[in-house]
Amino acid sequence: MKAKNNNKSSNADFIKSTKRLLGYMKNDYIKLIIVAVFSILSTVFMIVGPKIMGNATTEIFNGVMRKISNPSMGINFSKVLKIVIFLVVLYTVSSVFSYLQAYIMSGIAQRVSYNLRKEISEKLNRLPISYFDKNEKGDIISRVTNDVDTLSQSLNQSLMMAVTSVITVVGIFIMMLTINFMITIVAVLLVPITMFCLMMIIRKSQHFFKLQQKYLGKLNGKIEETYSGQNIVRAHNAERFEQLNFNKINNRLYETSWKSQFLSSIMMPMMMLISNVGYVVVAILGGYLTIAGKIAVGDIQAFIQYMRTFTQPLNQIAQIMNLLQSTIAAADRIFDFLDEEEIDFSAKEVIPDDKVEGAIEFEHVKFGYDENIVIKDFNLKVSPGQKIAIVGPTGAGKTTIVKLLMRFYELNHGRILLDGRDISTLELDEYRKNFAMVLQDTWLFNGTIMDNLKYGKLDATDEEVFSAARAAYADRFILTQKYGYETILSEDTKNISQGQKQLLTIARAILSNPKILILDEATSSVDTRTEEMIQNAMDNLIKDRTSFIIAHRLSTIKNADLILVLNEGDIVEQGTHDELMKNNGFYKNLYDSQYEELEEIN
């Protein structure tokens, strides 16, 4: 019973995905009609060819027989030549229509691919950060590349082939009926047998085609992950471990691919077996009728040729079913992605830039990742221009607080206010314009230093960029580069140091001129001298702005207006550095432990 329900569900999904895919061609319906017309004309011209060629064979056969009975008579070569010329014209016109339909259909398939990639790209910007936390990057990339390419290629082939095959089957059936009704009935009996066998195979193979696309995405994810972390893999001698993990996924992909391809590949030999049986039956029956004088030699030759051709579109239908399975499996993955829950953009309230003061308030905020509560009952009130430092052990919820402030995640309970307004009621893009983030993990893209800096303000002038770079102490190293601000940063920005990357991200933040600033472990991975430069740059950045600073090195936040000490999602202490040291509590223990570590190092 369960298997039947699964089959029904699979069939329903197949139909649903097919309808949705056809919806992407709604603007090309006229072109699809033209393609169908060209396919019909091309196929019809090809179908009538054997019948006309049969007339030429009959004329030659009759001429030979006349020559035997009357030597003065013979083959009418003039009539045969006319038939041959007509056939050449017929097949030429058929080829032209076939070329035109292929040209138009290729354009339709590529437009569908273009629109799907565009939708996927736009969807990426509407997905919550939680989606990227739960899914592999490589799998997402696979949907944009492999799945769309699979869909495009098979769509281009299968639609044309489907129209041509149906027209061919119908046309050949009609032509066979004009030759002999009895033999036609024998030939047609093969169709239900063939279709039954095809449907049985398709039901089995569709499941494996879906798994094939799934594991292909996982394999891409593993390759991307291993490639980006190659330094760590080598440093820990983990090559063998990574190879075993890769082989595990690769074996699953092999198993599902093998099963799907095997099941689909047996369609063709099965079709050939059925068609050959039919061919033998037709040949025997046709020979008998020819001897009995009930059918002309040319007609039986044409019928046998039609019989051979009749099985070709059935074979093509088998191939189409194979292609469609890959197409729908890829389409299912794409549509699953496009149907993912999006960020709520319904809020439209906007605070004018000149009205944003930067007052932040957390009211009884509760939040957890997948029901694992990280922030239990967080309350905080920050005045405009205040410098707030957040410290605490790993897993205390420090980074989560600023992610909630940036609206990367939705709260489980409570609310966050900006200048007295609930941030969930504010238009998201305009809200985030008031923020800039400088993270521990710097992100720069392959392009010039100028382009990377302007990412903070796309319409910035060159002078504004220079000014921001000077304020971040980044202009010193930029000007030492051979091409200055036009220096191309390589992939993964390997041609500059970690500290230099951090200075560029700070300059980018300064250029964006935010009202509220978030610094998350911005100096944790640099040396002391570079840290001093970054600290000076951050002092310029923080000036007159509400700022939240997450730091492990407590010595860097001594001058904060307020230090929040977090532990297990709650504020356990708060105050200035001096006040917290006098309390002789959690903060002092953290500070003293870091001081002792420095003493041991020295």
Side-chain angles (χ1 to χ4, degrees), residues 445-452 477-490 495-496 504:
F445 55 85
N446 193 344
T448 66
I449 290 177
M450 177 66 78
D451 291 338
N452 273 277
F477 89 82
I478 294 174
L479 295 176
T480 62
Q481 303 292 314
K482 184 176 180 180
Y483 299 105
Y485 284 84
E486 296 305 314
T487 299
I488 300 291
L489 299 180
S490 64
N495 54 338
I496 60 174
L504 290 179

Side-chain angles (χ1 to χ4, degrees), residues 234-266:
R234 300 291 177 88
H236 290 82
N237 293 323
E239 294 91 341
R240 179 60 179 166
F241 176 79
E242 291 298 331
Q243 186 64 52
L244 289 173
N245 282 339
F246 177 87
N247 288 342
K248 184 178 179 181
I249 300 172
N250 198 27
N251 286 337
R252 297 299 298 273
L253 177 60
Y254 166 77
E255 289 171 6
T256 54
S257 298
W258 179 86
K259 290 175 181 177
S260 63
Q261 295 302 322
F262 169 74
L263 286 171
S264 62
S265 65
I266 63 175

Side-chain angles (χ1 to χ4, degrees), residues 115-130:
N115 290 330
L116 282 172
R117 286 196 178 96
K118 183 180 177 183
E119 281 194 33
I120 291 172
S121 176
E122 292 171 351
K123 181 73 177 187
L124 285 170
N125 297 320
R126 298 195 301 267
L127 288 171
I129 297 295
S130 57

Side-chain angles (χ1 to χ4, degrees), residues 58-69 73-75:
T58 300
E59 180 60 34
I60 294 172
F61 177 78
N62 291 336
V64 171
M65 298 304 293
R66 285 195 298 268
K67 184 73 173 175
I68 293 173
S69 61
M73 301 180 67
I75 300 171

Side-chain angles (χ1 to χ4, degrees), residues 8 27 38 45 66 90 141 147 153 172 177 217 312 340 365 449 463 478-479 493 495 519 526 529 531 565 584:
K8 288 181 180 179
N27 294 327
F38 284 173
F45 290 158
R66 285 195 298 268
L90 200 66
I141 293 170
D147 291 334
Q153 292 172 14
I172 289 176
L177 280 175
Q312 286 181 8
E340 286 289 337
V365 169
I449 290 177
E463 186 52 47
I478 294 174
L479 295 176
T493 57
N495 54 338
L519 303 174
V526 297
R529 184 173 178 276
E531 181 182 16
V565 185
N584 200 28

Side-chain angles (χ1 to χ4, degrees), residues 452-500:
N452 273 277
L453 293 178
K454 282 189 175 182
Y455 199 77
K457 185 182 179 183
L458 298 177
D459 59 349
T461 64
D462 288 354
E463 186 52 47
E464 287 176 323
V465 174
F466 300 150
S467 177
R470 285 192 293 270
Y473 297 94
D475 64 324
R476 298 180 183 180
F477 89 82
I478 294 174
L479 295 176
T480 62
Q481 303 292 314
K482 184 176 180 180
Y483 299 105
Y485 284 84
E486 296 305 314
T487 299
I488 300 291
L489 299 180
S490 64
E491 187 176 357
D492 295 332
T493 57
K494 299 289 187 182
N495 54 338
I496 60 174
S497 70
Q498 180 63 35
Q500 290 169 338

Side-chain angles (χ1 to χ4, degrees), residues 35 296 347 419 499:
V35 167
D419 295 336

Side-chain angles (χ1 to χ4, degrees), residues 355-555:
K355 300 294 184 182
V356 177
E357 296 179 358
I360 299 290
E361 186 172 357
F362 289 78
E363 291 185 350
H364 302 290
V365 169
K366 180 181 179 181
F367 173 77
Y369 301 98
D370 294 329
E371 299 182 358
N372 178 28
I373 301 301
V374 179
I375 306 298
K376 297 176 181 177
D377 185 22
F378 188 82
N379 294 277
L380 176 67
K381 194 168 185 177
V382 180
S383 301
Q386 267 194 310
K387 179 180 178 181
I388 308 299
I390 306 175
V391 302
T394 301
K398 303 184 295 298
T399 301
T400 301
I401 291 295
V402 296
K403 286 182 176 179
L404 294 176
L405 181 59
M406 288 293 293
R407 287 183 65 184
F408 289 163
Y409 301 94
E410 295 299 321
L411 306 178
N412 291 43
H413 180 72
R415 61 179 186 160
I416 302 174
L417 307 177
L418 171 63
D419 295 336
R421 294 177 174 86
D422 189 333
I423 64 173
S424 64
T425 66
L426 301 178
E427 203 279 325
L428 188 58
D429 289 342
E430 292 297 323
Y431 170 74
R432 285 184 179 156
K433 284 181 181 178
N434 298 301
F435 290 82
M437 295 184 74
V438 179
L439 306 175
Q440 176 183 358
D441 297 325
T442 55
W443 182 80
L444 299 170
F445 55 85
N446 193 344
T448 66
I449 290 177
M450 177 66 78
D451 291 338
N452 273 277
L453 293 178
K454 282 189 175 182
Y455 199 77
K457 185 182 179 183
L458 298 177
D459 59 349
T461 64
D462 288 354
E463 186 52 47
E464 287 176 323
V465 174
F466 300 150
S467 177
R470 285 192 293 270
Y473 297 94
D475 64 324
R476 298 180 183 180
F477 89 82
I478 294 174
L479 295 176
T480 62
Q481 303 292 314
K482 184 176 180 180
Y483 299 105
Y485 284 84
E486 296 305 314
T487 299
I488 300 291
L489 299 180
S490 64
E491 187 176 357
D492 295 332
T493 57
K494 299 289 187 182
N495 54 338
I496 60 174
S497 70
Q498 180 63 35
Q500 290 169 338
K501 294 179 192 178
Q502 200 65 268
L503 291 174
L504 290 179
T505 60
I506 292 172
R508 186 167 63 190
I510 291 175
L511 183 64
S512 67
N513 192 28
K515 295 292 193 303
I516 303 164
L517 179 67
I518 295 171
L519 303 174
D520 188 354
E521 304 288 358
T523 63
S524 63
S525 58
V526 297
D527 58 82
T528 305
R529 184 173 178 276
T530 305
E531 181 182 16
E532 185 178 347
M533 291 179 62
I534 292 176
Q535 200 64 50
N536 292 333
M538 288 194 299
D539 289 340
N540 290 332
L541 182 57
I542 291 169
K543 189 177 180 181
D544 299 326
R545 292 184 175 92
T546 303
S547 55
F548 293 83
I549 304 170
I550 298 175
H552 275 303
R553 299 182 188 179
L554 304 185
S555 58

